[in-house]
Amino acid sequence: GRGGGGGNGGPRWPLIAAVGVGLAVVGVGAGALLGSGSKDDDAKDNQPVSATAPASTEASPSPTVDPAREQAVELDKLLAHSGDSRSSVINAVEDVKACRDLDKAASDLREAAKQRKQLVTDLSGLSVDKLPEHEALSEALRKAWKASASADDHYAKWADQTKGKGKKGCKKGSARNTEQTAAGNRESGTATEQKKKASELWNAIARQYGLTERAPTQL
């Protein structure tokens, strides 16, 4: 009888022990859940920081910037002003030829020469090393603008000479050609030649980057 009773009582301890282990497991599980909950809270606290990091990275333009295009855009801005004095030069030279408004013609020509010298200075301040054939393009532009400036100065001196000679400076309403006229014509020819080279080189770049193409006369 006791053996049976002992047998009946025997399983109670393993059963209680099993229940105790089960509660312990539940306790560990609850602790784990609480622990994970606290980690989630930390993660939530950190979420705005982690979320802003990729946003700022995406906002950065650095990966998409094309250095060559940036240089082309800056050069395009300079070239936009290169033809500003063209009409005033043409008008001034025509006035000298016709022996009229000689003081104004000389002044306009010297102002045009000043502008073209400034273009050379501005060009030297630009970075163009990423552009195709940049050395040839820079050289052509420099030579063109220097020659144009020189031509303007010679034509201005021609205007001074024409005025200084009075009636002898003009013949039948036209200014007599002088050494200054010839020098101006030579420099103007050099400028035209170099502008053709520069125009071809620049237009290839302009087409590549969707910028303004320019004829030689616009430089």
Side-chain angles (χ1 to χ4, degrees):
R2 285 188 180 179
N8 291 335
R12 292 178 186 175
W13 292 109
L15 180 61
I16 292 171
V19 171
V21 172
L23 289 174
V25 171
V26 171
V28 172
L33 289 174
L34 289 174
S36 64
S38 63
K39 289 179 182 177
D40 288 344
D41 291 340
D42 291 342
K44 288 177 182 176
D45 291 341
N46 292 332
Q47 188 173 358
V49 177
S50 61
T52 53
S56 61
T57 303
E58 290 174 6
S60 175
S62 300
T64 58
V65 168
D66 182 347
R69 190 180 195 286
E70 281 192 328
Q71 292 184 357
V73 168
E74 291 305 309
L75 181 55
D76 184 50
K77 292 177 183 177
L78 179 61
L79 296 181
H81 298 288
S82 60
D84 287 352
S85 58
R86 177 175 170 76
S87 59
S88 66
V89 167
I90 292 174
N91 292 335
V93 172
E94 289 301 316
D95 284 343
V96 179
K97 288 180 181 178
C99 292
R100 62 174 179 260
D101 296 331
L102 294 174
D103 285 338
K104 183 178 184 303
S107 176
D108 288 348
L109 286 163
R110 289 191 170 94
E111 181 60 29
K114 181 181 177 181
Q115 290 177 8
R116 284 162 173 175
K117 290 171 185 175
Q118 185 61 48
L119 287 171
V120 175
T121 300
D122 292 343
L123 177 64
S124 66
L126 290 182
S127 296
V128 295
D129 59 301
K130 306 293 184 184
L131 299 179
E133 299 189 67
H134 62 91
E135 291 181 355
L137 174 58
S138 295
E139 181 182 17
L141 287 171
R142 277 195 301 269
K143 286 182 177 180
W145 290 334
K146 284 182 178 181
S148 288
S150 180
D152 295 339
D153 282 333
H154 283 301
Y155 289 141
K157 291 175 182 177
W158 179 33
D160 293 340
Q161 287 181 341
T162 301
K163 181 183 178 183
K165 292 179 181 178
K167 292 183 179 179
K168 292 182 180 180
C170 297
K171 182 179 180 181
K172 296 180 180 180
S174 296
R176 293 178 183 274
N177 290 338
T178 70
E179 73 280 2
Q180 296 297 340
T181 317
N185 290 342
R186 283 196 303 272
E187 293 291 353
S188 182
T190 299
T192 298
E193 178 185 349
Q194 293 301 320
K195 285 178 182 180
K196 286 180 180 177
K197 292 180 181 179
S199 175
E200 290 177 3
L201 293 169
W202 165 252
N203 287 342
I205 295 171
R207 285 189 293 271
Q208 182 177 350
Y209 294 108
L211 301 172
T212 306
E213 294 186 40
R214 290 181 171 84
T217 53
Q218 294 176 296
L219 299 176

